[in-house]
Structures are given as C-alpha cells and as structure tokens.
Amino acid sequence: MEGISLGRGGLVMLAVQIEGGTLFRYRFGDAEFDEARFELQVGGASVEVQPKPLALLAMLLRTPGEVVTSEEILQSVWKYQNTGDLETNVIGTALTKLRSALGKDARRIVNLPRVGYRFEGRVERVVVGHTLSSGLALESGMAVPMRPNFVLQELLSRTKYSEVWRARHAKTEEVRIYKFSPAGERLLSLKREATLYRLLHDALGERPDIVRVIDWNFAEAPFFLECEDGGQDLRMWADAGSRLRGLSLEARIALFLQIADAVSAAHSVGVLHKDLKPDNVLVAALGTGWQVRLTDFGSGQLLEPGRLEDLGITQLGFTMTQGIGSDATTGTLLYLAPELTRGETPTIQSDVYALGLLLYQLVIGDMRRPLVPGWQREVADELLQQDIAAATDGNPNHRLNSVGELANALRRMPERRAELASRRALEQAAQQAQEALKRARARLPWVIAALASMAIGLMVSSWLYVQSRQAYLTAEAQRMRAEAINKFLNDDLLGAADTSGPDGQHDPTVRELLARAAGRLEGRFGNDPVTKASVDLAIGQAYFGLSDYSSAETFQKRGVAGLAGSRAAADDDTIAAMYALARTLGVEGRFAETGDTLARADAAAGERLHEASKLSLLAAWSRGNYFAIRMQPEQALPHFEEAERIRAQTLAEDDIWLLRSRGALAWCYVRLGRNDEAIAVLKGLLAPKYSLENIGITDWQKVHVQYALALTNLSRFDEAEVALKDSLRQVQQVLGQDNYVTGLVWNYLGTVYQNAAKWDAAIDAQTRAYAIMRQSVGEQAQATLGVASELAISKYLSGRTGEALPMLEAVHTALAAKLGEDAALTEDAAFYLASALTGLGRQDEASGLLEKLRAESLNSVDPGIDWAQRIAGLKGMILMRQGKPAQGRPLLEDAVAHLTQEKAPAWVLDPLRAMLGAEGDATVVSSR
C-alpha cells in the first residue's frame, strides 16, 4: 500500500506515478473510494452519491495536494470547455453533495477562489484493476466479445471509460452498434439505459423514433449494450454536404417535430432523457425523406420509479435515490437548463429547455451554435422567436409546460401566421384610428379621449375573441374579417368623430358616435355572426362605461345570444359575456334577473368553476358584485376573498385585477366597520405603480373613494376631503364635468361633509351630484335615487325639514318599488323619513316604518355608529311623544349611554339628551 501525504509546509511528491490505465481503491480518514466499482464508503457503510460528484472526487484523489483548475474539472467531468456562471453552479453543486456524503472528511477538499480545488491530507491507495489507454482492448477487425458473428468496423466515439463501435454481421451484413464499458460510472449509465429502454418498450411498444436496444451483457467484462444502427448523429448528418442548410425552414421544423414527438412519448410514461443534444439524435434516410431516432437514455431519470415494479423490470443502474432525483447535472452543459446547474431537481421543463436550443440550432442551420444574447437576430420568423424564447426561458416556471405544447405551436404555424396577419391588419386600423382622432382632437378633447379608449377596447376585445376561433378559417377569410373590423372602426365609428369629413357631425357626443356605428353592424358583419357578436359585446361594454345601462344590456344580450348560436355556448368567452351582462342587470337594480343570469353562467361553466382560472375568478368576482350592489357586504365578502385567492394564483402580475380584487375587499371592510383593515389594504393600492396612467380612471377612482370613506368612518374628515377633492379633479379632467362617475364622486364628497356636520357644503355637493345623475342615467336609476336620498337626508339634518320631507317620502317610495322594502338603501331612507315624521308629530307613521328596520342592513350603508342604538333611540323618542315615558325613557337612556361610550359626536347625542331632559321638540340626527 502506498502513502501520499500533504505536510504543513507544502506538497509531498507522489511515491509512485499514477498510470493512465490503473484503477485504485483510495482510503482517507473514515472514507474509502473504489474507482473500479465507483463506490464510496464512509465508516464502513456504502453511501449513495451521484456519478458526477464521484467523478470529481476521483479526479482530486488522483493528484492529492495538487491544484486542479476549474477548467480541467469541467472538461474532464462534464466534457465542457467554457467557464463562468456554469462553472460556479455545477462544480459547487457537485461539491456540496460530495461534502455532505464525506461528513467530517469533507474538510480535506479545499477551494482556492478563482483558481480551482485540491485534496489535502494523507491518502492510501491500492491497485484494484487496469484499463488500457483507450479504455478497452478493442480494435477494428476483431469479433465483438461474446458475439462472434459481428465484426468491429468503426470506432464511433471513445472516452476514458467507454467506447462506441459500429459492427457488421459477417454473413447477413446487418449493422449494429455496441456501447462498451469496463466498469465504473459508464457501466451504471449502460445499465440505466437498458432499464429505461425496457420501460419505454413495454409501455410504448416499438417506435421508429427511439433507437432499439437489442441485447446487453452485464455479466462479465467488457460490458456492453447492443443496439440497432440508427444512422448518423444529427451534427455529423447536418454537416455532410451541408444537408441541413439545404433544407427549407418547413423541412427543418418537420425534422425537429420528430425529435419532439419521441421525447414527448418518453415523458408520457415518466422518463426524462436529461441529455438531449445532437450527439443523441440519429438521422437515417427513409424513402425520399429522413427518419429521426432518439438514443442514449444513459443519463435518464424516472419521474415515477414505481412503474418499473409495476412492469416487473429490475432497476439496473439506479440507486433508490437516482430513480427519483438523479444527478441534476448529468448531461451536456451547453444543453443543460439553468436550474439544473443550481442543483435543482430535473423536470420535464429541463428537457424542454434542451429541445428549445435544438430547435434554435435547426432553424439557423448550425448545430454548434450556443444560445447567447442577441440570438433573435438570426431567427427571422417572429413566431419562431416566440416559441424558442418560451422553451428556453431561464425561469422554469415561465417555460413551456410540456414538449407537446411546443410541438402543437409549431404544427399550428400556418394558422398562427394567418392570425398574426389579422392582428397586423387591426394594428393598421388602430394607426388609422389615431389619425382620425388627431383631426378631431382640437374640437372635442374629452369626447375624443373617451371615444379613443372605447375604440381601442373594441378592437382588443373583438380581436381576442375572434382569434381564439380562427383555426378553422382560411387565411383569406381571416383577411376579410380583419378588413371588416378595420372599416367598422375607421369609417363607422371614428369617421363620425372627424367633423371635417363628409360623414362628420357637428360636435357629436360619444353616444351619438356609438349609436351611429352600432347601426351599421349588420351591414359590416351580417355574414360573420361570431365577429358581430364580439363587437356587440364590445359596444355593450362601451355603453356600460358611459353609464348607459339600458343600451349596454341590449348589446350584451345580443352578443351573448350571438355567441350561444355559433357553437360557442359553453366556452369561456360566452360565459364571461354572461357575467358582464349580470353586472349590468345588477346596476340597473334588476336583481332577480341578475341572479338568474349568474346561475346560467355558473351552470355553463360547470367544473371549470373549481379550477383556478380567469373564468373562475370572474365568476367569484361577479357573485361578490351581485351582493355588493345590493349593499350586502357580509354576503359579498367570501366571494371577493375567493376572487382574490384565484387572482393570486392565475393573474399575479396583472395590476388592474389586483387593484380591482383588493379594492372590492376594502369596500366590504369599509361597510363592515373594519376601517383599519380597509386602510391597510388601500394604502398598498395608493402606491405609484397603481397610478392613474397605469390603471385607468375607473378603477383608480374607486380605490381613492374607498380610502376617503374609510377615513370618514374614523372621523378623519380633513384627510378624507383632501382625498376626494383630488379624485374629483382627476375624474373631471379625464371624463368631464357631467359624467356619471363625476356625479358619484360629488356625492361621496357630500357624504364627508355630512359626517363632518358641514351641512351647506354637503347639500351643495349632493345637489351637483343629483343633477349629473339625473342627466346621465335618469331619475329612476338606482344610483340617482341613492344620491337623492343622501341629499334629502342632508337637508333634514340641517334643519330644513320642510324641504326634506317630500323628498324623503318620494325617494323611499321609489326605492321600495325598485329594490324592495328590505333593501339597505330603502331602509336608510326609511329611518330618516321616520325621524322627520317624529319631529312633525306623526308618530304612528314613524312607528310603522321603524318596525321594519334591521340594524345589520343599515350598518352596510353607514357603519359609523351602532345602528341598533340609533333605532332604539328613535323608538324611545316616539314612545316619549306618544306619552309613554315608562317605555321610552329606558330606551333613550340606554341608547345615550352606548353612543356616549362609542364617542359619538355631540350633534348625534344632543337631541337624544334633550328629549331625556324635556318632552319638547327634538330631532334625531345620525352620523353618516
């Protein structure tokens, strides 16, 4: 036995030079490594270590005390020349695994930064075997060991531990390929390849695209696999006579699809290849074309090792851990996915990455070219750029999910090119639309801004819907469709905005322009019901944005009916349109029809509601809106919470949906009196990334309004006023003075003044709001009635009972007819009507109204102060006025005590206290 040591002063020379063909068993500390068996023992027990870390250990043990550079390690262990991040990742990962296996002896491996590594300390070794300098005693013309009828003809490849030969049968001329190994790591690889081939064969049968393994010998050296001859490897085939460069792009893609189909088949039975590269793709002539065959699963891995046991296959070449999580860095570094160089577990996406690189090389006609920054310049086809990028994304979570997904995209290339042409036509339409807008902008600034937004939405929604159904259309049909949409947008919609043109009107409104364009739909799309339906929906959405809910409903119903009649009744787009219709019906206060529409949409969605998707998100959000419009925050909250959960899974990067979803949660918190929670959520939504420019006015103002209302509930009136005035200024600037949304913000500002007892300011703001709402959505719309109720309440609270009473009576009657007597807004109006009637001595009428009120319903409208106590206080006043102090006084006293404890403002408490002190006239007021 020989001793090698490294003293404190430096390196002690080796006693005996290591010869290239000698195999050793090394001993150091508690560890022993057998180079022939490729086995590591620590403390007398075998330790399972993956092949690459063991190969690294063998290299360090061959020259203990000497520095081995990182470049030498990469070239020897990973057969790779380049250095850089890959060096740090793969060597570092292998060393981590090796040190973990060695335990306390791991300290012997020393890292010399930016230089390399060395093994320190005493090492003992004994010879356990020999190999020839070529690795095996094989020569051309020899008979294959144990296969005397086959004669070795050509050495195809040679490594330190293996050789691959082409051999020919002496009589039949049949050609076979033999992969030889004397022992060590390569033997494990041969055994693994045999095991995986058996699984592939038993599960898939004979396939022309996977090289057949005919037999193997693992009984005595030299060990080998016996395989069919699959042809030349892809790199050699490509170079011969410039074959690859002579193929058309379509032919190159067809060649790649053969490779992809073979890999996809292996994945389907749980086998990862893990070493996809040109050397492992063989090409042979087949008729007038080429047959691709995938070979060398020696680095492969099982996703489900239990399949071997199910099929009765012995796990040759696998340790217990290798079957599940084999060496992540096994394979060729150029084709190795980035996550594998970091030691992460191989996945299907790892093979997808390698295939993406192969696709790139095939497309550019160079099987040696690495994928480096700027590679897109060499790929002229925009869609192929997208496919290669999606397959080779550095983040596996953003990479294509499967090989089949990549193959399907390539097979759909003609349809996708036609879709791209259609999209280009729409982009041209958008450009022309911008020109029309420029000509009219000077005359109609805000109208044109609104029209531009609506037109762009029209184009996008039409395109997104239509493109999902274009697979069955010819390129000519798609061109005609794009042209029709183009003419509709430019001639029918935007042409009317150009007042200088022959069709231009004098100062047209957005509604006039939209109505004019809508009247021409039949002429443009009479023979294309799918596109007409999608444009109907887009126009309906535009009308919704204009607060013209009746027109929105008309077009949305037409769109839903059109889609349902075009073999698309249960697809995602049709169901999404139904949810949009339900929202419109809800805003109109038609709750029974809203519920029916939601039920039909849910039924059509079926099991898809149980999957995390854009559709299930829309369903949950629509349900929440249904209850929110009815002012039922407790019922709305679980639906909005579900929507937020789905959004986080499916649209985590979508800022608009994040704002919309969390804003809805904040709305519930505000109306449930959970103001601190509301402010915590809303403050996050006030960040610069959610600016008006990035989000759009509708969603932006909702967040700012809810923030102001939460501040109001916390009696932070000055801050709330500042926030709402800022919102009002932005809304007026973008949407105009008389827009529906502008009216809403005026009303919310009035609510702040109302709670701050600034009665004149409240009445002024709400009067403005009422005028705008009457003009924009009509006098009997739910929103208009809600504003009228607030205005009447402010007049009553300011002492103008004579003006307030008829307004309260009219609003209460209208709300009861439209929403029902048990609706929260109806009950809110009823409370103040009862208060006014009490002050005028009409106690019996007031008592009748009061009996129907529910505190939980009223809390959803105004969670500022406990409604149960407000109702009790008013009831006590009525009883006192009816001459029943024994019953009324206890109610009053209890209400005053509770409201005092809640720190209710003086203007809430003083009238109640006054009634306790005297039976004179008093008015019950309430925090809003």
Side-chain angles (χ1 to χ4, degrees), residues 11-257:
L11 176 67
V12 177
M13 299 300 293
L14 298 180
V16 176
Q17 292 296 318
I18 299 174
E19 299 174 2
T22 307
L23 300 175
F24 296 96
R25 181 187 300 118
Y26 299 92
R27 291 178 182 169
F28 51 94
D30 291 337
E32 180 178 289
F33 174 59
D34 189 318
E35 200 170 28
R37 297 171 61 189
F38 224 62
E39 180 183 66
L40 176 67
Q41 292 187 347
V42 177
S46 293
V47 179
E48 292 177 356
V49 185
Q50 295 159 345
K52 294 299 186 189
L54 289 182
L56 174 58
L57 176 62
M59 191 173 185
L60 294 173
L61 288 172
R62 287 257 169 171
T63 56
E66 295 183 5
V67 175
V68 182
T69 68
S70 300
E71 290 84 354
E72 291 170 333
I73 293 172
L74 282 171
Q75 184 176 2
S76 177
V77 178
W78 281 276
K79 310 298 185 290
Y80 193 68
Q81 300 282 349
N82 293 354
T83 60
D85 291 341
L86 287 175
E87 166 195 321
T88 303
N89 286 332
V90 298
I91 297 178
T93 299
L95 279 174
T96 297
K97 295 175 180 178
L98 182 58
R99 286 184 169 120
S100 176
L102 290 174
K104 65 181 182 180
D105 288 312
R107 66 181 185 276
R108 296 171 178 265
I109 300 175
V110 178
N111 178 16
L112 304 173
R114 293 186 294 278
V115 178
Y117 304 85
R118 73 175 173 224
F119 192 94
E120 293 185 345
R122 181 177 180 79
V123 178
E124 298 176 344
R125 70 181 186 182
V126 293
V127 176
V128 293
H130 296 274
T131 64
L132 300 178
S133 59
S134 64
L136 291 155
L138 301 173
E139 296 180 2
S140 181
M142 290 178 55
V144 175
M146 290 170 278
R147 298 291 188 273
N149 291 326
F150 282 88
V151 178
L152 298 175
Q153 283 195 326
E154 180 185 1
L155 178 64
L156 300 178
S157 68
R158 171 185 289 160
T159 67
K160 190 172 182 179
Y161 298 111
S162 67
E163 292 182 8
V164 180
W165 284 82
R166 177 176 283 113
R168 188 179 299 274
H169 196 282
K171 296 182 179 179
T172 67
E173 298 295 312
E174 180 187 356
V175 176
R176 291 184 181 175
I177 303 298
Y178 290 87
K179 301 179 181 181
F180 295 97
S181 176
E185 176 189 357
R186 184 56 180 159
L187 176 57
L188 291 176
S189 177
L190 294 181
K191 290 181 176 180
R192 191 180 304 118
E193 183 171 1
T195 300
L196 292 179
Y197 176 77
R198 284 195 62 191
L199 187 154
L200 292 169
H201 180 270
D202 289 356
L204 301 173
E206 291 286 351
R207 289 183 61 93
D209 52 8
I210 295 177
V211 169
R212 183 164 53 97
V213 176
I214 299 170
D215 201 357
W216 51 79
N217 162 50
F218 299 141
E220 56 182 291
F223 311 111
F224 62 79
L225 282 183
E226 184 178 9
C227 309
E228 70 171 325
D229 183 10
Q232 289 180 296
D233 74 61
L234 182 56
R235 184 178 287 118
M236 292 180 62
W237 172 87
D239 291 343
S242 298
R243 281 197 189 106
L244 181 57
R245 291 188 179 275
L247 291 181
S248 66
L249 179 61
E250 288 70 22
R252 296 181 197 184
I253 292 175
L255 202 68
F256 173 81
L257 285 172

Side-chain angles (χ1 to χ4, degrees), residues 655-674:
D655 288 341
I656 291 179
W657 262 108
L658 182 148
L659 196 85
R660 192 171 292 165
S661 176
R662 294 186 181 173
L665 289 176
W667 179 91
C668 292
Y669 296 153
V670 168
R671 273 135 189 96
L672 292 172
R674 295 159 61 175

Side-chain angles (χ1 to χ4, degrees), residues 436-474:
L437 291 174
K438 287 179 182 177
R439 291 191 296 270
R441 193 179 303 276
R443 288 180 57 84
L444 305 168
W446 96 262
V447 171
I448 291 304
L451 183 60
S453 175
M454 184 276 298
I456 291 169
L458 233 176
M459 285 187 286
V460 171
S461 61
S462 300
W463 165 251
L464 290 178
Y465 179 78
V466 170
Q467 73 164 344
S468 66
R469 290 166 179 76
Q470 288 187 333
Y472 62 85
L473 293 177
T474 64

Side-chain angles (χ1 to χ4, degrees), residues 673-720:
R674 295 159 61 175
N675 298 296
D676 291 333
E677 293 176 73
I679 287 177
V681 171
L682 292 164
K683 276 188 174 179
L685 303 180
L686 299 176
K689 70 178 296 188
Y690 305 114
S691 66
L692 175 61
E693 293 75 18
N694 293 336
I695 299 301
I697 188 62
T698 301
D699 291 303
W700 180 89
Q701 65 85 19
K702 285 181 181 178
V703 168
H704 286 69
V705 164
Q706 294 308 316
Y707 182 65
L709 293 181
L711 293 173
T712 301
N713 287 344
L714 294 172
S715 299
R716 294 161 61 178
F717 304 125
D718 292 341
E719 296 173 70

Side-chain angles (χ1 to χ4, degrees), residues 216-511:
W216 51 79
N217 162 50
F218 299 141
E220 56 182 291
F223 311 111
F224 62 79
L225 282 183
E226 184 178 9
C227 309
E228 70 171 325
D229 183 10
Q232 289 180 296
D233 74 61
L234 182 56
R235 184 178 287 118
M236 292 180 62
W237 172 87
D239 291 343
S242 298
R243 281 197 189 106
L244 181 57
R245 291 188 179 275
L247 291 181
S248 66
L249 179 61
E250 288 70 22
R252 296 181 197 184
I253 292 175
L255 202 68
F256 173 81
L257 285 172
Q258 291 190 55
I259 305 171
D261 288 345
V263 177
S264 182
H267 287 177
S268 72
V269 294
V271 175
L272 298 181
H273 190 283
K274 288 182 55 190
D275 195 17
L276 293 168
K277 59 183 178 181
D279 293 353
N280 291 333
V281 176
L282 306 181
V283 187
L286 180 66
T288 59
W290 302 100
Q291 175 63 57
V292 167
R293 292 180 176 87
L294 193 61
T295 188
D296 197 352
F297 282 84
S299 298
Q301 176 178 327
L302 287 169
L303 293 174
E304 301 176 35
R307 291 183 69 93
L308 293 178
E309 185 177 346
D310 294 341
L311 295 170
I313 299 174
T314 304
Q315 289 196 38
L316 297 176
F318 288 94
T319 65
M320 290 300 291
T321 57
Q322 284 174 329
I324 301 171
S326 186
D327 187 0
T329 55
T330 299
T332 304
L333 281 182
L334 180 61
Y335 299 87
L336 209 61
E339 67 271 13
L340 300 187
T341 68
R342 300 190 295 268
E344 296 179 17
T345 302
T347 64
I348 286 173
Q349 279 76 22
S350 310
D351 277 356
V352 169
Y353 179 91
L355 281 174
L357 179 51
L358 285 174
L359 175 60
Y360 164 70
Q361 293 174 329
L362 283 167
V363 166
I364 66 172
D366 185 349
M367 300 311 300
R368 290 176 171 79
R369 189 77 60 88
L371 194 74
V372 296
W375 63 265
Q376 295 90 340
R377 290 190 292 271
E378 301 181 78
V379 180
D381 191 292
E382 178 181 344
L383 297 176
L384 280 174
Q385 287 182 16
Q386 296 174 9
D387 295 337
I388 294 169
T392 59
D393 196 296
N395 185 339
N397 295 324
H398 298 160
R399 202 174 299 152
L400 293 177
N401 291 322
S402 69
V403 178
E405 191 174 348
L406 176 59
N408 289 338
L410 293 173
R411 286 191 167 96
R412 287 192 63 252
M413 192 62 73
E415 291 87 353
R416 292 168 65 204
R417 288 192 177 115
E419 292 170 7
L420 181 62
S422 295
R423 188 161 67 247
R424 291 285 185 263
L426 286 175
E427 289 171 355
Q428 182 183 2
Q431 180 63 36
Q432 294 175 2
Q434 291 297 327
E435 294 301 321
L437 291 174
K438 287 179 182 177
R439 291 191 296 270
R441 193 179 303 276
R443 288 180 57 84
L444 305 168
W446 96 262
V447 171
I448 291 304
L451 183 60
S453 175
M454 184 276 298
I456 291 169
L458 233 176
M459 285 187 286
V460 171
S461 61
S462 300
W463 165 251
L464 290 178
Y465 179 78
V466 170
Q467 73 164 344
S468 66
R469 290 166 179 76
Q470 288 187 333
Y472 62 85
L473 293 177
T474 64
E476 177 62 16
Q478 294 179 49
R479 185 195 64 76
M480 292 176 64
R481 167 173 283 170
E483 183 177 333
I485 295 175
N486 188 333
K487 288 184 176 180
F488 171 73
L489 292 170
N490 284 282
D491 299 346
D492 302 339
L493 182 60
L494 297 174
D498 184 1
T499 58
S500 64
D503 293 331
Q505 301 177 24
H506 177 68
D507 291 344
T509 66
V510 176
R511 283 191 180 81

